[in-house]
């Protein structure tokens, strides 16, 4: 009896796996198609100076709405493109669109762009990025690349070479989602970054949880000492912003300052801001 039930469970289990594989393959086809038909978009979220709220740049965030599947999160389709080996193609399309949009912004604003871990294992990545920028006509000094601790640690040598090469061309490097990865502070010392982005997990609790407050305070102090710029991610309220300012955090990003918006809305947003201040 129990044997039969066991067998039944195995059947259910394997059909779930088969279902999941079918789903992933369908998603892969749809995504590949979206890249070809130019259906993948880039949105932009402002990164501000906390002191006065001035916009310093924007983070590019991939957006894809499929006819049948509807909204698919980049946390789903970016890893899928990595697994199925076409993150390069996806990323090139995204960077090219983002760079083109950034051309119409005031020149002092930076474009921050996410690199996936697979790209940091591929020695061809710096060349691809620089040539994509050149084709778009955006100077490398306007670009910042967001990478995660885990990505850097998994392929340390190659990643280090890619980072050094890009920095030599004026590209800046941000450490994204800081505090959630698997690195030790000692390993971090071996890499050269320009900026650290404190993960939303700490920022969202900063007014309610003493531990989060202390962690953010320590990260800010460490970044000051290392002469790294620091950005707090996921600022949603006025109270979050005030607390972070009081802790000496230089920059911030989050729904409180602006949700990710498409190219046209970003343009409008900038126009209204720049008319106000100049
Ligand atoms: P991330 O790079 O850490 O991006 C920040 C995420 O937090 C974004 O989610 C953004 O929409 C969200 N966010 C910003 N402010 C707030 C806030 O105040 N509250 C809350 N709850 N969320 C906020 P999104 O756009 O869904 O992107 C998820 C992740 O997907 C990104 O995390 C990044 O790792 C990846 N991703 C997005 N676009 C790209 C891309 O073009 N290339 C690569 N390689 N990865 C990307
Ligand atoms: Mg990011
Ligand atoms: Mg982040
Ligand atoms: Mg994240």
């Amino acid at each position: 009896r129990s044997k039969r039930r066991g067998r039944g469970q195995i059947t259910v289990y394997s059909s779930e796996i088969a279902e999941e594989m079918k789903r992933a393959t369908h998603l892969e086809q749809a995504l590949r198609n979206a890249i070809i038909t130019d259906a993948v978009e880039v949105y932009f979220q402002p990164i501000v100076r906390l002191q006065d709220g001035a916009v310093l740049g924007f983070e590019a965030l991939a957006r894809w709405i499929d006819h049948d599947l509807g909204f698919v999160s980049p946390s789903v389709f970016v890893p899928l493109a990595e697994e199925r080996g076409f993150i390069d193609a996806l990323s090139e399309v995204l960077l090219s669109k983002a760079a083109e949009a950034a051309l119409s912004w005031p020149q002092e604003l930076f474009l921050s762009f996410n690199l996936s871990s697979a790209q940091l294992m591929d020695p061809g990545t710096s060349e691809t990025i620089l040539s994509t920028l050149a084709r778009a006509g955006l100077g490398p000094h306007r670009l910042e690349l967001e990478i995660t601790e885990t990505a850097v640690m998994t392929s340390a040598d190659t990643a280090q070479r890619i980072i050094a090469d890009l920095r030599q061309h004026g590209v800046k490097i941000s450490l994204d989602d800081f505090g959630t990865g698997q690195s030790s502070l000692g390993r971090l010392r071996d890499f050269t970054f320009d900026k650290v982005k404190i993960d939303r997990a700490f920022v969202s609790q900063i007014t309610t949880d003493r531990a989060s407050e202390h962690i953010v305070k320590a990260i800010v102090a460490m970044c000051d000492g290392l002469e790294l710029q620091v950005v707090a991610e996921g600022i949603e309220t006025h109270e979050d912003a005030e607390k972070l300012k009081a802790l000496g955090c230089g920059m911030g990003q989050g729904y409180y300052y602006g949700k990710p918006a498409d190219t046209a809305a970003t343009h409008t947003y900038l126009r209204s801001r720049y008319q106000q201040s100049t």
Side-chain angles (χ1 to χ4, degrees), residues 117 120-122 150-161 191:
S117 46
L120 281 170
M121 297 177 198
D122 174 0
T150 312
V152 167
M153 297 310 150
T154 45
S155 181
D157 285 355
T158 308
Q160 208 156 10
R161 236 172 293 128
F191 291 89

Side-chain angles (χ1 to χ4, degrees), residues 45-67:
Q45 185 179 33
I47 297 173
V48 308
R49 182 164 59 214
L50 288 176
Q51 211 51 51
D52 58 1
V55 182
L56 302 175
F58 289 89
E59 177 175 2
L61 293 160
R63 289 293 177 267
W64 173 37
I65 299 173
D66 181 73
H67 294 299

Side-chain angles (χ1 to χ4, degrees), residues 45 59 62-63 74 94 114 116 176-177 200 233-234 236 254-255:
Q45 185 179 33
E59 177 175 2
R63 289 293 177 267
L94 294 168
N114 292 284
S116 73
D176 202 0
D177 304 342
R200 189 171 82 223
E233 300 192 277
E236 293 189 352
Y255 295 166

Side-chain angles (χ1 to χ4, degrees), residues 2-156:
S2 70
K3 204 173 180 182
R4 221 198 279 155
R5 193 193 281 156
R7 212 191 263 159
Q9 278 173 348
I10 289 169
T11 307
V12 168
Y13 186 52
S14 65
S15 83
E16 269 173 12
I17 292 176
E19 226 13 76
E20 179 54 36
M21 279 172 63
K22 233 167 78 183
R23 231 174 44 85
T25 300
H26 177 70
L27 204 61
E28 176 188 356
Q29 281 315 317
L31 181 56
R32 284 185 185 272
N33 195 50
I35 294 170
I36 293 165
T37 59
D38 204 26
V40 183
E41 289 299 330
V42 184
Y43 274 41
F44 301 95
Q45 185 179 33
I47 297 173
V48 308
R49 182 164 59 214
L50 288 176
Q51 211 51 51
D52 58 1
V55 182
L56 302 175
F58 289 89
E59 177 175 2
L61 293 160
R63 289 293 177 267
W64 173 37
I65 299 173
D66 181 73
H67 294 299
D68 305 321
L69 304 162
F71 176 87
V72 185
S73 166
S75 346
V76 171
F77 70 78
V78 169
L80 183 80
E82 285 194 76
E83 278 163 32
R84 304 282 170 127
F86 61 103
I87 187 64
D88 283 14
L90 174 63
S91 190
E92 201 171 328
V93 166
L94 294 168
L95 180 58
S96 148
K97 287 187 177 219
E100 196 180 307
L103 280 180
S104 72
W105 306 341
Q107 285 204 17
E108 63 273 24
L109 299 189
F110 63 79
L111 168 68
S112 206
F113 186 82
N114 292 284
L115 268 199
S116 73
S117 46
Q119 291 176 285
L120 281 170
M121 297 177 198
D122 174 0
T125 289
S126 44
E127 177 55 36
T128 308
I129 289 170
L130 292 170
S131 62
T132 304
L133 286 182
R135 262 198 309 278
L138 191 78
H141 62 281
R142 300 241 348 239
L143 184 70
E144 305 196 357
L145 291 172
E146 302 193 6
I147 63 185
T148 63
E149 296 160 70
T150 312
V152 167
M153 297 310 150
T154 45
S155 181

Side-chain angles (χ1 to χ4, degrees), residues 169-183:
H169 285 85
V171 177
K172 294 196 181 64
I173 307 293
S174 301
L175 200 50
D176 202 0
D177 304 342
F178 187 73
T180 61
Q182 297 156 12
S183 62

